């Protein structure tokens, strides 16, 4: 595995979440790469064949969606992207909605994070696997990826919220109603389980990292109905068509912006 090298041409990686384990419908080749110093990544990476440049796809839960959020090897995934010289990451996250306008089906590009996770390997700069360092994470998401996602949403006429606080919980269970009330008091608009430490590791690796969140349920206790996997699956499959279009357009936008 190499370390981050300076580069000119952008390279984009899409990290798929729940509901996006393959990029079918788009021509891809599967590439095998050596295990990273942190162990194996979630899956073999797919390279999307696109004339605009290099676009990779990595499903964070594995190709068959079997890796739970707290067991994902986030460091290996980002180290693999770093090895491939990835400069921009577009991540997809299924989330629960807390904000009044962020119900099931809404697409949101968050601009802030609160990390409630525990015990995850969350840094390359911990003084053990790498030098001790403290990155600036005031603005956790990258401006270029965010801009390209909105631009793509506009082009496709897809509604997309600009800005939200993403609370990252440990999972794999969903939250209690009191935990969701605490998240609301903290200012969270969304809750998910996979945004951290992915975003921080990408920042440590020098990448511009943006997230496209699909709200798949109301946060626990915010709806009279119980949260069921069946309902979540329905929202996920309805939302993925738009999401794939949006991601590809945003990726190409990033690749072309530098020309
Ligand atoms: N909470 C946490 N993560 C989630 C949720 C939720 O309600 N829905 C989808 N991912």
């Amino acid at each position: 595995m190499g370390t981050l090298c300076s580069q000119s041409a952008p390279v984009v990686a899409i990290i798929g979440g729940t509901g996006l384990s393959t990029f079918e419908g788009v021509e891809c080749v599967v590439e095998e790469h050596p295990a990273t110093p942190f162990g194996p990544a979630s899956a073999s990476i797919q390279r999307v064949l696109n004339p605009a440049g290099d676009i990779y796809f990595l499903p964070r839960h594995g190709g068959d969606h079997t890796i739970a959020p707290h067991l994902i090897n986030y460091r290996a995934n980002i180290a693999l992207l770093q090895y491939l010289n990835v400069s921009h990451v577009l991540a997809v996250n299924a989330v629960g909605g807390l904000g009044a306008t962020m119900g099931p089906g809404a697409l949101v590009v968050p601009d802030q994070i609160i990390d409630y996770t525990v015990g995850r390997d969350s840094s390359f700069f911990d003084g053990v696997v790498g030098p001790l360092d403290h990155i600036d994470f005031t603005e956790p998401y990258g401006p270029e990826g965010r801009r390209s996602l909105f631009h793509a949403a506009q082009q496709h006429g897809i509604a997309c919220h600009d800005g939200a606080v993403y609370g990252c919980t440990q999972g794999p269970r969903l939250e209690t109603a009191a935990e969701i009330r605490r998240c609301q008091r903290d200012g969270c608009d969304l809750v998910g389980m996979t945004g951290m430490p992915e975003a921080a590791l990408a920042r440590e690796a020098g990448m511009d990292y943006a997230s496209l969140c699909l709200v798949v349920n109301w946060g626990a206790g915010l709806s009279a109905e119980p949260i069921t996997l069946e309902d979540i699956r329905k929202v996920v499959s309805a939302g993925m068509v738009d999401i794939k279009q949006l991601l590809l357009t945003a990726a190409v936008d990033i690749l072309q912006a530098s020309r």
Side-chain angles (χ1 to χ4, degrees), residues 33-82:
H33 290 287
T36 75
F38 308 98
S42 292
S44 301
I45 203 146
Q46 295 168 44
R47 191 160 52 83
V48 178
L49 299 180
N50 190 292
D54 285 337
I55 304 173
Y56 291 100
F57 175 71
L58 180 68
R60 74 163 73 76
H61 294 282
D64 46 5
H65 201 279
T66 50
I67 311 175
H70 65 301
L71 297 178
I72 290 168
N73 191 338
Y74 294 95
R75 288 197 299 198
N77 288 352
I78 296 298
L80 174 58
L81 302 189
Q82 195 175 30

mmCIF file of all heavy atoms in Angstrom, residues 33-82:
data_model
loop_
_atom_site.group_PDB
_atom_site.id
_atom_site.type_symbol
_atom_site.label_atom_id
_atom_site.label_comp_id
_atom_site.label_asym_id
_atom_site.label_seq_id
_atom_site.Cartn_x
_atom_site.Cartn_y
_atom_site.Cartn_z
ATOM 1 N N HIS A 33 -7.349 -6.301 -5.394
ATOM 2 C CA HIS A 33 -6.181 -5.571 -4.894
ATOM 3 C C HIS A 33 -5.675 -6.261 -3.648
ATOM 4 O O HIS A 33 -6.422 -6.972 -2.984
ATOM 5 C CB HIS A 33 -6.549 -4.122 -4.589
ATOM 6 C CG HIS A 33 -6.821 -3.334 -5.825
ATOM 7 N ND1 HIS A 33 -5.838 -2.926 -6.681
ATOM 8 C CD2 HIS A 33 -7.983 -2.916 -6.376
ATOM 9 C CE1 HIS A 33 -6.374 -2.280 -7.693
ATOM 10 N NE2 HIS A 33 -7.674 -2.267 -7.543
ATOM 11 N N PRO A 34 -4.414 -6.055 -3.319
ATOM 12 C CA PRO A 34 -3.880 -6.701 -2.119
ATOM 13 C C PRO A 34 -4.596 -6.182 -0.873
ATOM 14 O O PRO A 34 -5.158 -5.084 -0.886
ATOM 15 C CB PRO A 34 -2.404 -6.276 -2.111
ATOM 16 C CG PRO A 34 -2.328 -5.083 -3.009
ATOM 17 C CD PRO A 34 -3.430 -5.202 -4.000
ATOM 18 N N ALA A 35 -4.563 -6.992 0.180
ATOM 19 C CA ALA A 35 -5.121 -6.526 1.458
ATOM 20 C C ALA A 35 -4.339 -5.294 1.898
ATOM 21 O O ALA A 35 -3.161 -5.149 1.577
ATOM 22 C CB ALA A 35 -5.005 -7.624 2.499
ATOM 23 N N THR A 36 -4.982 -4.412 2.599
ATOM 24 C CA THR A 36 -4.315 -3.196 3.075
ATOM 25 C C THR A 36 -3.566 -3.530 4.369
ATOM 26 O O THR A 36 -3.777 -4.595 4.955
ATOM 27 C CB THR A 36 -5.367 -2.113 3.384
ATOM 28 O OG1 THR A 36 -6.012 -2.470 4.612
ATOM 29 C CG2 THR A 36 -6.395 -1.984 2.267
ATOM 30 N N PRO A 37 -2.714 -2.627 4.856
ATOM 31 C CA PRO A 37 -2.052 -2.872 6.146
ATOM 32 C C PRO A 37 -3.065 -3.026 7.289
ATOM 33 O O PRO A 37 -2.717 -3.477 8.378
ATOM 34 C CB PRO A 37 -1.206 -1.607 6.357
ATOM 35 C CG PRO A 37 -1.049 -1.017 4.999
ATOM 36 C CD PRO A 37 -2.265 -1.393 4.217
ATOM 37 N N PHE A 38 -4.311 -2.651 7.062
ATOM 38 C CA PHE A 38 -5.344 -2.731 8.103
ATOM 39 C C PHE A 38 -6.241 -3.955 7.921
ATOM 40 O O PHE A 38 -7.247 -4.104 8.604
ATOM 41 C CB PHE A 38 -6.170 -1.436 8.106
ATOM 42 C CG PHE A 38 -5.296 -0.229 8.189
ATOM 43 C CD1 PHE A 38 -4.954 0.482 7.056
ATOM 44 C CD2 PHE A 38 -4.740 0.142 9.407
ATOM 45 C CE1 PHE A 38 -4.097 1.566 7.121
ATOM 46 C CE2 PHE A 38 -3.880 1.216 9.485
ATOM 47 C CZ PHE A 38 -3.554 1.937 8.340
ATOM 48 N N GLY A 39 -5.873 -4.807 6.953
ATOM 49 C CA GLY A 39 -6.700 -5.982 6.672
ATOM 50 C C GLY A 39 -7.478 -5.767 5.385
ATOM 51 O O GLY A 39 -7.273 -4.768 4.684
ATOM 52 N N PRO A 40 -8.387 -6.697 5.081
ATOM 53 C CA PRO A 40 -9.115 -6.586 3.810
ATOM 54 C C PRO A 40 -10.197 -5.500 3.855
ATOM 55 O O PRO A 40 -10.789 -5.248 4.905
ATOM 56 C CB PRO A 40 -9.746 -7.969 3.639
ATOM 57 C CG PRO A 40 -9.776 -8.552 5.011
ATOM 58 C CD PRO A 40 -8.698 -7.906 5.827
ATOM 59 N N ALA A 41 -10.419 -4.894 2.690
ATOM 60 C CA ALA A 41 -11.537 -3.946 2.551
ATOM 61 C C ALA A 41 -12.845 -4.740 2.505
ATOM 62 O O ALA A 41 -12.837 -5.966 2.453
ATOM 63 C CB ALA A 41 -11.338 -3.123 1.288
ATOM 64 N N SER A 42 -13.963 -4.019 2.513
ATOM 65 C CA SER A 42 -15.280 -4.675 2.587
ATOM 66 C C SER A 42 -15.556 -5.607 1.408
ATOM 67 O O SER A 42 -16.308 -6.571 1.540
ATOM 68 C CB SER A 42 -16.393 -3.628 2.618
ATOM 69 O OG SER A 42 -16.372 -2.914 3.816
ATOM 70 N N ALA A 43 -14.975 -5.296 0.238
ATOM 71 C CA ALA A 43 -15.268 -6.069 -0.979
ATOM 72 C C ALA A 43 -14.232 -5.745 -2.032
ATOM 73 O O ALA A 43 -13.462 -4.782 -1.876
ATOM 74 C CB ALA A 43 -16.652 -5.689 -1.509
ATOM 75 N N SER A 44 -14.229 -6.530 -3.104
ATOM 76 C CA SER A 44 -13.427 -6.151 -4.271
ATOM 77 C C SER A 44 -14.003 -4.855 -4.809
ATOM 78 O O SER A 44 -15.216 -4.649 -4.775
ATOM 79 C CB SER A 44 -13.535 -7.211 -5.364
ATOM 80 O OG SER A 44 -13.093 -8.432 -4.867
ATOM 81 N N ILE A 45 -13.109 -4.036 -5.309
ATOM 82 C CA ILE A 45 -13.594 -2.746 -5.810
ATOM 83 C C ILE A 45 -14.039 -2.900 -7.264
ATOM 84 O O ILE A 45 -13.491 -3.719 -7.999
ATOM 85 C CB ILE A 45 -12.492 -1.680 -5.641
ATOM 86 C CG1 ILE A 45 -13.098 -0.286 -5.602
ATOM 87 C CG2 ILE A 45 -11.425 -1.782 -6.709
ATOM 88 C CD1 ILE A 45 -12.366 0.667 -4.713
ATOM 89 N N GLN A 46 -15.047 -2.153 -7.650
ATOM 90 C CA GLN A 46 -15.470 -2.170 -9.059
ATOM 91 C C GLN A 46 -15.051 -0.865 -9.696
ATOM 92 O O GLN A 46 -15.175 0.193 -9.085
ATOM 93 C CB GLN A 46 -16.994 -2.298 -9.155
ATOM 94 C CG GLN A 46 -17.520 -3.625 -8.612
ATOM 95 C CD GLN A 46 -19.032 -3.596 -8.460
ATOM 96 O OE1 GLN A 46 -19.740 -3.127 -9.333
ATOM 97 N NE2 GLN A 46 -19.517 -4.099 -7.342
ATOM 98 N N ARG A 47 -14.540 -0.964 -10.924
ATOM 99 C CA ARG A 47 -14.188 0.254 -11.662
ATOM 100 C C ARG A 47 -15.279 0.474 -12.701
ATOM 101 O O ARG A 47 -15.572 -0.410 -13.506
ATOM 102 C CB ARG A 47 -12.815 0.133 -12.323
ATOM 103 C CG ARG A 47 -12.299 1.458 -12.865
ATOM 104 C CD ARG A 47 -10.788 1.433 -13.058
ATOM 105 N NE ARG A 47 -10.340 0.292 -13.830
ATOM 106 C CZ ARG A 47 -10.337 0.218 -15.164
ATOM 107 N NH1 ARG A 47 -10.768 1.252 -15.880
ATOM 108 N NH2 ARG A 47 -9.924 -0.871 -15.783
ATOM 109 N N VAL A 48 -15.903 1.638 -12.635
ATOM 110 C CA VAL A 48 -16.974 1.979 -13.563
ATOM 111 C C VAL A 48 -16.321 2.425 -14.866
ATOM 112 O O VAL A 48 -15.423 3.273 -14.848
ATOM 113 C CB VAL A 48 -17.848 3.126 -12.988
ATOM 114 C CG1 VAL A 48 -18.931 3.532 -13.972
ATOM 115 C CG2 VAL A 48 -18.442 2.718 -11.646
ATOM 116 N N LEU A 49 -16.744 1.817 -15.980
ATOM 117 C CA LEU A 49 -16.140 2.191 -17.265
ATOM 118 C C LEU A 49 -16.833 3.448 -17.771
ATOM 119 O O LEU A 49 -17.974 3.413 -18.213
ATOM 120 C CB LEU A 49 -16.281 1.037 -18.259
ATOM 121 C CG LEU A 49 -15.585 -0.253 -17.813
ATOM 122 C CD1 LEU A 49 -15.754 -1.356 -18.838
ATOM 123 C CD2 LEU A 49 -14.102 -0.013 -17.540
ATOM 124 N N ASN A 50 -16.154 4.557 -17.632
ATOM 125 C CA ASN A 50 -16.744 5.845 -18.015
ATOM 126 C C ASN A 50 -15.669 6.683 -18.703
ATOM 127 O O ASN A 50 -14.563 6.808 -18.169
ATOM 128 C CB ASN A 50 -17.269 6.561 -16.766
ATOM 129 C CG ASN A 50 -18.102 7.770 -17.128
ATOM 130 O OD1 ASN A 50 -17.595 8.760 -17.640
ATOM 131 N ND2 ASN A 50 -19.386 7.684 -16.881
ATOM 132 N N PRO A 51 -15.989 7.245 -19.861
ATOM 133 C CA PRO A 51 -14.970 7.995 -20.604
ATOM 134 C C PRO A 51 -14.460 9.237 -19.871
ATOM 135 O O PRO A 51 -13.384 9.754 -20.172
ATOM 136 C CB PRO A 51 -15.691 8.393 -21.906
ATOM 137 C CG PRO A 51 -17.141 8.202 -21.637
ATOM 138 C CD PRO A 51 -17.270 7.172 -20.571
ATOM 139 N N ALA A 52 -15.197 9.719 -18.881
ATOM 140 C CA ALA A 52 -14.777 10.949 -18.192
ATOM 141 C C ALA A 52 -13.556 10.721 -17.301
ATOM 142 O O ALA A 52 -12.849 11.674 -16.961
ATOM 143 C CB ALA A 52 -15.934 11.500 -17.366
ATOM 144 N N GLY A 53 -13.298 9.465 -16.896
ATOM 145 C CA GLY A 53 -12.137 9.209 -16.037
ATOM 146 C C GLY A 53 -12.399 8.084 -15.058
ATOM 147 O O GLY A 53 -13.324 7.284 -15.249
ATOM 148 N N ASP A 54 -11.594 8.053 -14.007
ATOM 149 C CA ASP A 54 -11.643 6.923 -13.074
ATOM 150 C C ASP A 54 -12.725 7.106 -12.008
ATOM 151 O O ASP A 54 -12.696 8.061 -11.220
ATOM 152 C CB ASP A 54 -10.292 6.772 -12.368
ATOM 153 C CG ASP A 54 -9.249 6.171 -13.297
ATOM 154 O OD1 ASP A 54 -9.642 5.483 -14.271
ATOM 155 O OD2 ASP A 54 -8.049 6.397 -13.069
ATOM 156 N N ILE A 55 -13.668 6.176 -11.998
ATOM 157 C CA ILE A 55 -14.714 6.138 -10.965
ATOM 158 C C ILE A 55 -14.713 4.721 -10.392
ATOM 159 O O ILE A 55 -14.844 3.744 -11.141
ATOM 160 C CB ILE A 55 -16.112 6.440 -11.545
ATOM 161 C CG1 ILE A 55 -16.134 7.787 -12.285
ATOM 162 C CG2 ILE A 55 -17.170 6.408 -10.439
ATOM 163 C CD1 ILE A 55 -17.447 8.079 -13.023
ATOM 164 N N TYR A 56 -14.532 4.630 -9.076
ATOM 165 C CA TYR A 56 -14.553 3.316 -8.426
ATOM 166 C C TYR A 56 -15.816 3.192 -7.582
ATOM 167 O O TYR A 56 -16.388 4.195 -7.144
ATOM 168 C CB TYR A 56 -13.333 3.158 -7.511
ATOM 169 C CG TYR A 56 -12.035 3.063 -8.265
ATOM 170 C CD1 TYR A 56 -11.193 4.177 -8.386
ATOM 171 C CD2 TYR A 56 -11.645 1.872 -8.865
ATOM 172 C CE1 TYR A 56 -10.002 4.103 -9.089
ATOM 173 C CE2 TYR A 56 -10.454 1.779 -9.568
ATOM 174 C CZ TYR A 56 -9.634 2.893 -9.678
ATOM 175 O OH TYR A 56 -8.462 2.813 -10.377
ATOM 176 N N PHE A 57 -16.193 1.946 -7.337
ATOM 177 C CA PHE A 57 -17.361 1.693 -6.490
ATOM 178 C C PHE A 57 -17.007 0.642 -5.444
ATOM 179 O O PHE A 57 -16.484 -0.424 -5.776
ATOM 180 C CB PHE A 57 -18.549 1.199 -7.332
ATOM 181 C CG PHE A 57 -19.727 0.803 -6.491
ATOM 182 C CD1 PHE A 57 -20.476 1.783 -5.843
ATOM 183 C CD2 PHE A 57 -20.067 -0.527 -6.297
ATOM 184 C CE1 PHE A 57 -21.546 1.426 -5.023
ATOM 185 C CE2 PHE A 57 -21.134 -0.891 -5.492
ATOM 186 C CZ PHE A 57 -21.873 0.101 -4.857
ATOM 187 N N LEU A 58 -17.277 0.953 -4.182
ATOM 188 C CA LEU A 58 -17.001 0.017 -3.075
ATOM 189 C C LEU A 58 -18.236 -0.081 -2.174
ATOM 190 O O LEU A 58 -18.667 0.933 -1.604
ATOM 191 C CB LEU A 58 -15.806 0.524 -2.257
ATOM 192 C CG LEU A 58 -15.400 -0.337 -1.063
ATOM 193 C CD1 LEU A 58 -14.821 -1.684 -1.510
ATOM 194 C CD2 LEU A 58 -14.360 0.394 -0.197
ATOM 195 N N PRO A 59 -18.823 -1.269 -2.041
ATOM 196 C CA PRO A 59 -19.961 -1.417 -1.117
ATOM 197 C C PRO A 59 -19.453 -1.616 0.311
ATOM 198 O O PRO A 59 -18.794 -2.614 0.598
ATOM 199 C CB PRO A 59 -20.674 -2.667 -1.645
ATOM 200 C CG PRO A 59 -19.622 -3.460 -2.366
ATOM 201 C CD PRO A 59 -18.512 -2.517 -2.767
ATOM 202 N N ARG A 60 -19.769 -0.675 1.215
ATOM 203 C CA ARG A 60 -19.139 -0.733 2.548
ATOM 204 C C ARG A 60 -19.618 -1.912 3.399
ATOM 205 O O ARG A 60 -18.946 -2.339 4.318
ATOM 206 C CB ARG A 60 -19.305 0.599 3.294
ATOM 207 C CG ARG A 60 -20.649 0.904 3.845
ATOM 208 C CD ARG A 60 -20.627 2.000 4.891
ATOM 209 N NE ARG A 60 -20.404 3.339 4.378
ATOM 210 C CZ ARG A 60 -21.307 4.076 3.754
ATOM 211 N NH1 ARG A 60 -22.514 3.601 3.525
ATOM 212 N NH2 ARG A 60 -21.013 5.287 3.346
ATOM 213 N N HIS A 61 -20.824 -2.420 3.101
ATOM 214 C CA HIS A 61 -21.313 -3.572 3.876
ATOM 215 C C HIS A 61 -20.936 -4.904 3.229
ATOM 216 O O HIS A 61 -21.445 -5.951 3.623
ATOM 217 C CB HIS A 61 -22.839 -3.503 4.009
ATOM 218 C CG HIS A 61 -23.325 -2.338 4.819
ATOM 219 N ND1 HIS A 61 -23.278 -2.314 6.199
ATOM 220 C CD2 HIS A 61 -23.857 -1.145 4.453
ATOM 221 C CE1 HIS A 61 -23.764 -1.168 6.637
ATOM 222 N NE2 HIS A 61 -24.117 -0.429 5.596
ATOM 223 N N GLY A 62 -20.069 -4.861 2.193
ATOM 224 C CA GLY A 62 -19.705 -6.081 1.473
ATOM 225 C C GLY A 62 -20.638 -6.287 0.296
ATOM 226 O O GLY A 62 -21.749 -5.739 0.259
ATOM 227 N N GLY A 63 -20.172 -7.105 -0.667
ATOM 228 C CA GLY A 63 -20.955 -7.322 -1.892
ATOM 229 C C GLY A 63 -22.295 -7.974 -1.616
ATOM 230 O O GLY A 63 -23.259 -7.774 -2.351
ATOM 231 N N ASP A 64 -22.374 -8.748 -0.525
ATOM 232 C CA ASP A 64 -23.645 -9.418 -0.217
ATOM 233 C C ASP A 64 -24.313 -8.817 1.023
ATOM 234 O O ASP A 64 -25.166 -9.446 1.647
ATOM 235 C CB ASP A 64 -23.425 -10.932 -0.049
ATOM 236 C CG ASP A 64 -22.207 -11.216 0.830
ATOM 237 O OD1 ASP A 64 -21.619 -10.234 1.371
ATOM 238 O OD2 ASP A 64 -21.855 -12.390 1.004
ATOM 239 N N HIS A 65 -23.905 -7.614 1.377
ATOM 240 C CA HIS A 65 -24.488 -6.865 2.498
ATOM 241 C C HIS A 65 -24.542 -7.693 3.779
ATOM 242 O O HIS A 65 -25.617 -7.929 4.361
ATOM 243 C CB HIS A 65 -25.887 -6.339 2.142
ATOM 244 C CG HIS A 65 -26.288 -5.184 3.026
ATOM 245 N ND1 HIS A 65 -26.782 -5.355 4.292
ATOM 246 C CD2 HIS A 65 -26.217 -3.849 2.845
ATOM 247 C CE1 HIS A 65 -27.021 -4.173 4.845
ATOM 248 N NE2 HIS A 65 -26.677 -3.237 3.978
ATOM 249 N N THR A 66 -23.350 -8.113 4.255
ATOM 250 C CA THR A 66 -23.309 -8.943 5.465
ATOM 251 C C THR A 66 -22.493 -8.297 6.586
ATOM 252 O O THR A 66 -22.414 -8.868 7.681
ATOM 253 C CB THR A 66 -22.686 -10.320 5.147
ATOM 254 O OG1 THR A 66 -21.458 -10.094 4.443
ATOM 255 C CG2 THR A 66 -23.608 -11.178 4.309
ATOM 256 N N ILE A 67 -21.863 -7.153 6.326
ATOM 257 C CA ILE A 67 -20.989 -6.562 7.356
ATOM 258 C C ILE A 67 -21.762 -5.473 8.096
ATOM 259 O O ILE A 67 -22.207 -4.480 7.500
ATOM 260 C CB ILE A 67 -19.700 -5.965 6.734
ATOM 261 C CG1 ILE A 67 -19.037 -6.985 5.790
ATOM 262 C CG2 ILE A 67 -18.741 -5.533 7.832
ATOM 263 C CD1 ILE A 67 -17.835 -6.432 5.041
ATOM 264 N N ALA A 68 -21.931 -5.671 9.408
ATOM 265 C CA ALA A 68 -22.698 -4.714 10.229
ATOM 266 C C ALA A 68 -21.920 -3.395 10.339
ATOM 267 O O ALA A 68 -20.679 -3.392 10.256
ATOM 268 C CB ALA A 68 -22.929 -5.298 11.615
ATOM 269 N N PRO A 69 -22.633 -2.294 10.556
ATOM 270 C CA PRO A 69 -21.969 -0.973 10.590
ATOM 271 C C PRO A 69 -20.775 -0.901 11.543
ATOM 272 O O PRO A 69 -19.746 -0.335 11.196
ATOM 273 C CB PRO A 69 -23.077 -0.034 11.057
ATOM 274 C CG PRO A 69 -24.337 -0.702 10.629
ATOM 275 C CD PRO A 69 -24.086 -2.184 10.710
ATOM 276 N N HIS A 70 -20.907 -1.487 12.761
ATOM 277 C CA HIS A 70 -19.814 -1.353 13.734
ATOM 278 C C HIS A 70 -18.660 -2.302 13.441
ATOM 279 O O HIS A 70 -17.608 -2.197 14.058
ATOM 280 C CB HIS A 70 -20.347 -1.580 15.158
ATOM 281 C CG HIS A 70 -20.855 -2.971 15.412
ATOM 282 N ND1 HIS A 70 -21.878 -3.536 14.675
ATOM 283 C CD2 HIS A 70 -20.472 -3.918 16.297
ATOM 284 C CE1 HIS A 70 -22.103 -4.772 15.112
ATOM 285 N NE2 HIS A 70 -21.252 -5.013 16.097
ATOM 286 N N LEU A 71 -18.843 -3.238 12.493
ATOM 287 C CA LEU A 71 -17.784 -4.205 12.173
ATOM 288 C C LEU A 71 -17.107 -3.903 10.830
ATOM 289 O O LEU A 71 -16.207 -4.633 10.400
ATOM 290 C CB LEU A 71 -18.354 -5.632 12.163
ATOM 291 C CG LEU A 71 -18.901 -6.105 13.516
ATOM 292 C CD1 LEU A 71 -19.478 -7.512 13.399
ATOM 293 C CD2 LEU A 71 -17.805 -6.056 14.592
ATOM 294 N N ILE A 72 -17.535 -2.854 10.171
ATOM 295 C CA ILE A 72 -16.899 -2.465 8.901
ATOM 296 C C ILE A 72 -15.456 -2.042 9.186
ATOM 297 O O ILE A 72 -15.193 -1.338 10.170
ATOM 298 C CB ILE A 72 -17.697 -1.311 8.250
ATOM 299 C CG1 ILE A 72 -19.059 -1.825 7.752
ATOM 300 C CG2 ILE A 72 -16.905 -0.672 7.100
ATOM 301 C CD1 ILE A 72 -20.030 -0.744 7.360
ATOM 302 N N ASN A 73 -14.541 -2.488 8.338
ATOM 303 C CA ASN A 73 -13.144 -2.092 8.488
ATOM 304 C C ASN A 73 -12.951 -0.764 7.721
ATOM 305 O O ASN A 73 -12.487 -0.742 6.583
ATOM 306 C CB ASN A 73 -12.218 -3.195 7.946
ATOM 307 C CG ASN A 73 -10.775 -2.948 8.320
ATOM 308 O OD1 ASN A 73 -10.378 -1.823 8.610
ATOM 309 N ND2 ASN A 73 -9.971 -3.994 8.299
ATOM 310 N N TYR A 74 -13.337 0.322 8.380
ATOM 311 C CA TYR A 74 -13.322 1.629 7.713
ATOM 312 C C TYR A 74 -11.907 2.022 7.303
ATOM 313 O O TYR A 74 -11.698 2.625 6.257
ATOM 314 C CB TYR A 74 -13.917 2.699 8.643
ATOM 315 C CG TYR A 74 -15.399 2.513 8.928
ATOM 316 C CD1 TYR A 74 -15.837 1.849 10.067
ATOM 317 C CD2 TYR A 74 -16.364 2.998 8.055
ATOM 318 C CE1 TYR A 74 -17.180 1.672 10.331
ATOM 319 C CE2 TYR A 74 -17.718 2.842 8.308
ATOM 320 C CZ TYR A 74 -18.126 2.173 9.448
ATOM 321 O OH TYR A 74 -19.475 1.990 9.700
ATOM 322 N N ARG A 75 -10.928 1.689 8.152
ATOM 323 C CA ARG A 75 -9.546 2.065 7.798
ATOM 324 C C ARG A 75 -9.093 1.324 6.544
ATOM 325 O O ARG A 75 -8.445 1.910 5.673
ATOM 326 C CB ARG A 75 -8.593 1.791 8.970
ATOM 327 C CG ARG A 75 -8.782 2.764 10.107
ATOM 328 C CD ARG A 75 -7.626 2.797 11.065
ATOM 329 N NE ARG A 75 -7.388 1.521 11.724
ATOM 330 C CZ ARG A 75 -6.674 1.387 12.817
ATOM 331 N NH1 ARG A 75 -6.081 2.446 13.358
ATOM 332 N NH2 ARG A 75 -6.508 0.208 13.370
ATOM 333 N N ALA A 76 -9.423 0.036 6.438
ATOM 334 C CA ALA A 76 -9.025 -0.719 5.238
ATOM 335 C C ALA A 76 -9.710 -0.133 4.005
ATOM 336 O O ALA A 76 -9.081 0.007 2.945
ATOM 337 C CB ALA A 76 -9.369 -2.192 5.410
ATOM 338 N N ASN A 77 -10.981 0.211 4.121
ATOM 339 C CA ASN A 77 -11.695 0.761 2.952
ATOM 340 C C ASN A 77 -11.052 2.055 2.472
ATOM 341 O O ASN A 77 -10.808 2.247 1.276
ATOM 342 C CB ASN A 77 -13.170 1.011 3.302
ATOM 343 C CG ASN A 77 -13.952 -0.285 3.426
ATOM 344 O OD1 ASN A 77 -13.445 -1.360 3.104
ATOM 345 N ND2 ASN A 77 -15.185 -0.196 3.900
ATOM 346 N N ILE A 78 -10.761 2.957 3.404
ATOM 347 C CA ILE A 78 -10.174 4.240 2.981
ATOM 348 C C ILE A 78 -8.726 4.030 2.523
ATOM 349 O O ILE A 78 -8.277 4.660 1.562
ATOM 350 C CB ILE A 78 -10.276 5.287 4.116
ATOM 351 C CG1 ILE A 78 -11.764 5.603 4.427
ATOM 352 C CG2 ILE A 78 -9.528 6.574 3.740
ATOM 353 C CD1 ILE A 78 -12.564 6.222 3.290
ATOM 354 N N ALA A 79 -7.998 3.106 3.174
ATOM 355 C CA ALA A 79 -6.621 2.835 2.730
ATOM 356 C C ALA A 79 -6.618 2.291 1.300
ATOM 357 O O ALA A 79 -5.740 2.629 0.498
ATOM 358 C CB ALA A 79 -5.946 1.848 3.679
ATOM 359 N N LEU A 80 -7.602 1.470 0.975
ATOM 360 C CA LEU A 80 -7.686 0.949 -0.401
ATOM 361 C C LEU A 80 -7.939 2.097 -1.386
ATOM 362 O O LEU A 80 -7.310 2.179 -2.444
ATOM 363 C CB LEU A 80 -8.796 -0.110 -0.506
ATOM 364 C CG LEU A 80 -9.097 -0.635 -1.910
ATOM 365 C CD1 LEU A 80 -7.856 -1.262 -2.559
ATOM 366 C CD2 LEU A 80 -10.223 -1.672 -1.873
ATOM 367 N N LEU A 81 -8.831 3.002 -1.021
ATOM 368 C CA LEU A 81 -9.108 4.143 -1.911
ATOM 369 C C LEU A 81 -7.866 5.023 -2.048
ATOM 370 O O LEU A 81 -7.575 5.544 -3.124
ATOM 371 C CB LEU A 81 -10.287 4.967 -1.387
ATOM 372 C CG LEU A 81 -11.621 4.220 -1.214
ATOM 373 C CD1 LEU A 81 -12.738 5.218 -0.908
ATOM 374 C CD2 LEU A 81 -11.978 3.406 -2.440
ATOM 375 N N GLN A 82 -7.136 5.157 -0.956
ATOM 376 C CA GLN A 82 -5.914 5.965 -0.999
ATOM 377 C C GLN A 82 -4.887 5.325 -1.942
ATOM 378 O O GLN A 82 -4.235 6.011 -2.730
ATOM 379 C CB GLN A 82 -5.348 6.055 0.421
ATOM 380 C CG GLN A 82 -4.319 7.134 0.591
ATOM 381 C CD GLN A 82 -3.885 7.259 2.038
ATOM 382 O OE1 GLN A 82 -3.894 6.294 2.787
ATOM 383 N NE2 GLN A 82 -3.498 8.444 2.433
#
